[in-house]
Short mmCIF file of all heavy atoms in Angstrom, two decimals:
data_model
loop_
_atom_site.label_atom_id
_atom_site.label_comp_id
_atom_site.label_asym_id
_atom_site.label_seq_id
_atom_site.Cartn_x
_atom_site.Cartn_y
_atom_site.Cartn_z
N TYR A 253 -14.25 4.23 -32.02
CA TYR A 253 -14.37 2.92 -32.61
C TYR A 253 -15.45 2.87 -33.59
O TYR A 253 -15.50 2.06 -34.55
CB TYR A 253 -14.68 1.90 -31.48
CG TYR A 253 -13.48 1.71 -30.48
CD1 TYR A 253 -13.32 2.70 -29.42
CD2 TYR A 253 -12.63 0.64 -30.62
CE1 TYR A 253 -12.31 2.45 -28.55
CE2 TYR A 253 -11.67 0.53 -29.68
CZ TYR A 253 -11.45 1.38 -28.63
OH TYR A 253 -10.44 1.23 -27.75
N TYR A 254 -16.47 3.74 -33.36
CA TYR A 254 -17.70 3.69 -34.24
C TYR A 254 -17.92 5.20 -34.66
O TYR A 254 -18.72 5.89 -34.12
CB TYR A 254 -18.86 3.20 -33.49
CG TYR A 254 -18.64 1.78 -32.87
CD1 TYR A 254 -18.18 1.62 -31.59
CD2 TYR A 254 -18.76 0.64 -33.72
CE1 TYR A 254 -18.02 0.34 -31.05
CE2 TYR A 254 -18.52 -0.59 -33.22
CZ TYR A 254 -18.08 -0.77 -31.88
OH TYR A 254 -17.83 -1.97 -31.42
N PRO A 255 -17.23 5.66 -35.73
CA PRO A 255 -17.30 7.07 -36.19
C PRO A 255 -18.73 7.52 -36.42
O PRO A 255 -19.02 8.68 -36.32
CB PRO A 255 -16.40 7.04 -37.38
CG PRO A 255 -15.48 5.90 -37.32
CD PRO A 255 -16.30 4.83 -36.59
N ASP A 256 -19.59 6.60 -36.96
CA ASP A 256 -20.96 7.01 -37.26
C ASP A 256 -21.92 6.97 -36.07
O ASP A 256 -23.08 7.30 -36.19
CB ASP A 256 -21.50 6.09 -38.39
CG ASP A 256 -20.63 6.08 -39.62
OD1 ASP A 256 -19.88 7.13 -39.73
OD2 ASP A 256 -20.53 5.07 -40.34
N PHE A 257 -21.38 6.54 -34.92
CA PHE A 257 -22.29 6.39 -33.73
C PHE A 257 -22.77 7.81 -33.29
O PHE A 257 -22.01 8.76 -33.23
CB PHE A 257 -21.42 5.80 -32.60
CG PHE A 257 -22.21 5.65 -31.32
CD1 PHE A 257 -23.49 5.07 -31.31
CD2 PHE A 257 -21.67 5.99 -30.11
CE1 PHE A 257 -24.22 4.92 -30.15
CE2 PHE A 257 -22.36 5.82 -28.86
CZ PHE A 257 -23.66 5.32 -28.91
N GLU A 258 -24.11 7.85 -33.07
CA GLU A 258 -24.69 9.16 -32.66
C GLU A 258 -25.45 9.02 -31.33
O GLU A 258 -25.88 7.91 -30.98
CB GLU A 258 -25.69 9.66 -33.80
CG GLU A 258 -24.92 9.89 -35.09
CD GLU A 258 -25.87 10.61 -36.16
OE1 GLU A 258 -27.09 10.41 -36.00
OE2 GLU A 258 -25.37 11.27 -37.03
N CYS A 259 -25.61 10.13 -30.64
CA CYS A 259 -26.15 10.11 -29.34
C CYS A 259 -26.97 11.36 -29.05
O CYS A 259 -26.55 12.49 -29.30
CB CYS A 259 -25.06 9.97 -28.32
SG CYS A 259 -25.48 9.91 -26.56
N ASP A 260 -28.21 11.16 -28.50
CA ASP A 260 -28.94 12.35 -28.05
C ASP A 260 -28.93 12.36 -26.49
O ASP A 260 -28.98 11.24 -25.88
CB ASP A 260 -30.41 12.16 -28.47
CG ASP A 260 -30.54 12.08 -30.02
OD1 ASP A 260 -30.03 13.01 -30.62
OD2 ASP A 260 -31.07 11.13 -30.49
N PHE A 261 -28.81 13.48 -25.83
CA PHE A 261 -28.76 13.64 -24.39
C PHE A 261 -30.09 14.17 -23.94
O PHE A 261 -30.42 15.40 -24.12
CB PHE A 261 -27.56 14.44 -23.90
CG PHE A 261 -26.26 13.87 -24.36
CD1 PHE A 261 -25.64 14.30 -25.53
CD2 PHE A 261 -25.68 12.81 -23.59
CE1 PHE A 261 -24.47 13.79 -25.89
CE2 PHE A 261 -24.48 12.26 -24.10
CZ PHE A 261 -23.83 12.73 -25.21
N VAL A 262 -31.02 13.28 -23.46
CA VAL A 262 -32.35 13.68 -23.07
C VAL A 262 -32.57 13.29 -21.64
O VAL A 262 -33.14 12.32 -21.29
CB VAL A 262 -33.38 13.06 -23.96
CG1 VAL A 262 -34.79 13.53 -23.67
CG2 VAL A 262 -33.07 13.15 -25.47
N PRO A 263 -32.27 14.23 -20.68
CA PRO A 263 -32.30 13.88 -19.20
C PRO A 263 -33.73 13.57 -18.82
O PRO A 263 -34.68 14.15 -19.25
CB PRO A 263 -31.94 15.19 -18.51
CG PRO A 263 -31.10 15.95 -19.61
CD PRO A 263 -31.67 15.58 -20.88
N ASP A 264 -33.87 12.54 -17.97
CA ASP A 264 -35.16 12.21 -17.39
C ASP A 264 -35.05 12.19 -15.87
O ASP A 264 -34.03 12.81 -15.37
CB ASP A 264 -35.70 10.85 -17.95
CG ASP A 264 -34.92 9.67 -17.40
OD1 ASP A 264 -34.09 9.82 -16.51
OD2 ASP A 264 -35.12 8.50 -17.94
N PHE A 265 -35.92 11.55 -15.16
CA PHE A 265 -35.87 11.68 -13.67
C PHE A 265 -34.55 11.21 -13.04
O PHE A 265 -34.19 11.65 -11.99
CB PHE A 265 -37.11 10.85 -13.06
CG PHE A 265 -36.85 9.30 -13.06
CD1 PHE A 265 -36.43 8.70 -11.89
CD2 PHE A 265 -36.94 8.58 -14.29
CE1 PHE A 265 -36.17 7.34 -11.92
CE2 PHE A 265 -36.75 7.27 -14.27
CZ PHE A 265 -36.31 6.62 -13.08
N ARG A 266 -33.83 10.36 -13.76
CA ARG A 266 -32.54 9.95 -13.31
C ARG A 266 -31.48 11.09 -13.20
O ARG A 266 -30.52 10.96 -12.49
CB ARG A 266 -32.07 8.75 -14.10
CG ARG A 266 -32.90 7.46 -13.88
CD ARG A 266 -32.72 6.39 -14.90
NE ARG A 266 -33.43 6.63 -16.10
CZ ARG A 266 -33.68 5.79 -17.04
NH1 ARG A 266 -33.27 4.55 -16.89
NH2 ARG A 266 -34.33 6.11 -18.14
#
Side-chain angles (χ1 to χ4, degrees):
Y253 295 81
Y254 305 96
D256 304 334
F257 179 46
E258 295 189 337
C259 180
D260 299 306
F261 300 97
V262 186
D264 70 10
F265 76 100
R266 287 166 282 196

